[in-house]
Amino acid sequence: MFDVVVVGGGPCGATAAEDLARSGARVALLDREGRIKPCGGAIPPRLMADFDIGEAQLLAKITTARMISPSGRRVDIPIENGFVGMVDRKDFDPFLRARAETAGATRHTGTFLRVDRSDGTAVVYRDKATGEERRLPTRLVIGADGANSRVGKAEVPGAEAIPYVFAYHEIVAAPGPGEYDPDRCDVVYDGRISADFYGWVFPHGSTVSVGMGTEHRSADLKAATADLRRAAGLAGCETLRKEGAPIPLRPLDRWDNGRDVVLAGDAAGVVAPSSGEGIYYAMVAGRAAASAAASCLATGRVADLRLARKLFMREHKTVFRVLASMQNAYYRSDARRERFVSLCHDIDVQRLTFEAYMNKKLVRARPMAHVRIGMKNFAHLTGLVSETYV
């Protein structure tokens, strides 16, 4: 009999399992294993501090972000007083699962099938090694099984209606010296690559993640990525892996079923709008779900499962709202994207953007900078400034 079964062993589920195991709970971690989510792999210094991630997990430290507009304008933004860490989910996720197991979580490998309540609550799964159905009796379930969460669709009202972007990337061998910079991330805002999101070229040391996302189901993701590789000078590089998956666009209004299930991570929709950043927010959501589950186990109050969403949104609601507004304002056309990249020339925008990224909160230390950014943002959106603004 487990206190909690965590379904999904990505950064979210592994974090929830580790936290609960360290608190003394009896935890099972169920994961399919072998599946690698398409992901640029960016993590901020705050994640490393909050979740005790050492630099040994990093494949690269990014010190510059290049924004590329539809017309080919390039804006290089230096990352002052910090960096963007790069990980490969192929290695990072197993590291987190192993750490959860070391903390005391019991590992199970297989595919979630259902929550069965015919004889107490149990998670039923198909064992990967034998193909047989097995049961994990439990008091609570945390669904951390991605944007197409089977747990969510079966157990939490509204989970089946979550909107998402289709993401696709290719991991390629890094080229030699040249135009490619192993310390720079490229973010491409171009309707020819993505009509409503963006493309990316993210260094991973000896490899590179090249990909894009879009909400349009008719888009040819592989063709767009091939175009992006040609533009980045990576067409001739060896392709090592190809991966695709849906990425949720906004947090669900409800994360629990009011009984014995709570969602977290992509299953709860916690990917940052505009940037698509997910690893940090997944791990925060996993920790929030673990806290909610621990509270419910201690008090017996199923209402405590609501704490998962409350804890997460209390800290990140404003950032998500600002990023969603920016995506809605600038991603709708190439003309808007051109203006967005122009806005990135601004020193206030550059500094506050990466201070907020690294610290994961809106920076309040420079109130006049916020005022100036608001005025410049209005000017760009209304066309009061030229697109050639520098």
Side-chain angles (χ1 to χ4, degrees):
M1 181 67 178
F2 293 100
D3 293 314
V4 184
V5 171
V6 181
V7 181
C12 175
T15 298
E18 181 186 359
D19 280 8
L20 284 164
R22 291 192 185 283
S23 72
R26 294 163 296 179
V27 183
L29 177 61
L30 173 63
D31 187 67
R32 288 187 295 174
E33 214 162 79
R35 177 186 175 277
I36 307 169
K37 179 184 174 183
C39 179
I43 63 171
R46 179 171 172 182
L47 180 151
M48 299 176 69
D50 287 358
F51 297 97
D52 192 25
I53 302 299
E55 292 197 5
Q57 296 303 315
L58 300 183
L59 299 173
K61 283 186 174 182
I62 302 304
T63 55
T64 303
R66 171 171 287 182
M67 307 299 175
I68 303 175
S69 77
S71 69
R73 175 188 292 135
R74 301 177 178 186
V75 178
D76 286 1
I77 303 177
I79 302 171
E80 298 178 349
N81 305 315
F83 59 89
V84 177
M86 284 292 159
V87 299
D88 190 328
R89 296 288 294 274
K90 171 179 68 68
D91 305 309
F92 189 61
D93 291 18
F95 161 77
L96 295 175
R97 287 194 289 268
R99 196 165 70 168
E101 187 174 22
T102 299
T106 302
R107 295 275 301 279
H108 299 268
T109 304
T111 302
F112 169 85
L113 297 176
R114 60 189 178 275
V115 177
D116 181 15
R117 300 183 179 87
S118 60
D119 183 20
T121 301
V123 167
V124 181
Y125 73 100
R126 179 171 290 109
D127 183 74
K128 182 177 181 179
T130 67
E132 299 175 351
E133 286 194 12
R134 296 188 176 176
R135 293 169 57 87
L136 299 172
T138 186
R139 296 172 64 186
L140 299 174
V141 179
I142 293 177
D145 52 335
N148 275 328
S149 170
R150 292 189 178 187
V151 177
K153 289 178 179 179
E155 296 290 333
V156 178
E160 74 285 349
I162 186 170
Y164 49 83
V165 161
F166 295 90
Y168 173 80
H169 81 156
E170 298 178 359
I171 298 292
V172 305
E179 176 63 18
Y180 169 79
D181 184 342
D183 299 320
R184 187 190 73 221
C185 282
D186 289 359
V187 185
V188 181
Y189 299 98
D190 188 338
R192 291 166 294 187
I193 300 299
S194 173
D196 57 343
F197 210 57
Y198 65 83
W200 69 81
V201 179
F202 285 2
H204 286 178
S206 62
T207 64
V208 189
S209 167
V210 188
M212 51 80 66
T214 180
E215 198 174 349
H216 296 298
R217 300 195 178 200
S218 60
D220 189 333
L221 280 68
K222 292 184 178 180
T225 301
D227 290 342
L228 182 57
R229 285 181 62 171
R230 281 192 291 272
L234 302 173
C237 296
E238 180 186 2
T239 302
L240 305 176
R241 301 197 318 263
K242 298 179 179 181
E243 296 146 0
I247 308 295
L249 285 174
R250 65 173 178 81
L252 290 173
D253 294 330
R254 181 174 179 177
W255 293 12
D256 69 279
N257 68 349
R259 183 176 182 179
D260 52 12
V261 174
V262 62
L263 304 179
D266 280 15
V270 291
V271 172
S274 179
S275 69
E277 182 189 358
I279 299 177
Y280 170 77
Y281 294 110
M283 295 178 74
V284 170
R287 177 157 288 173
S291 297
S295 180
C296 181
L297 291 170
T299 66
R301 295 191 302 260
V302 295
D304 286 359
L305 294 177
R306 300 176 193 167
L307 287 171
R309 191 179 191 280
K310 289 180 180 178
L311 289 170
F312 183 91
M313 298 304 285
R314 182 172 65 191
E315 183 169 2
H316 300 292
K317 176 176 64 177
T318 301
V319 170
F320 271 47
R321 184 180 296 134
V322 169
L323 292 174
S325 297
M326 188 176 78
Q327 180 174 334
N328 292 335
Y330 284 112
Y331 286 16
R332 62 177 63 179
S333 70
D334 273 356
R336 289 291 184 94
R337 283 186 275 269
E338 196 72 44
R339 290 187 176 278
F340 173 69
V341 175
S342 287
L343 185 62
C344 290
H345 276 287
D346 188 87
I347 191 66
D348 289 324
V349 172
Q350 294 181 9
R351 286 177 175 170
L352 291 183
T353 294
F354 279 100
E355 285 180 22
Y357 171 81
M358 288 186 291
N359 298 305
K360 284 293 167 276
K361 60 179 67 175
L362 295 179
V363 181
R364 304 185 185 279
R366 301 192 189 116
M368 288 309 298
H370 285 281
V371 172
R372 290 194 298 271
I373 288 173
M375 294 175 65
K376 294 165 186 172
N377 185 53
F378 176 79
H380 277 272
L381 286 174
T382 56
L384 293 177
V385 297
S386 166
E387 290 183 6
T388 59
Y389 166 89
V390 176

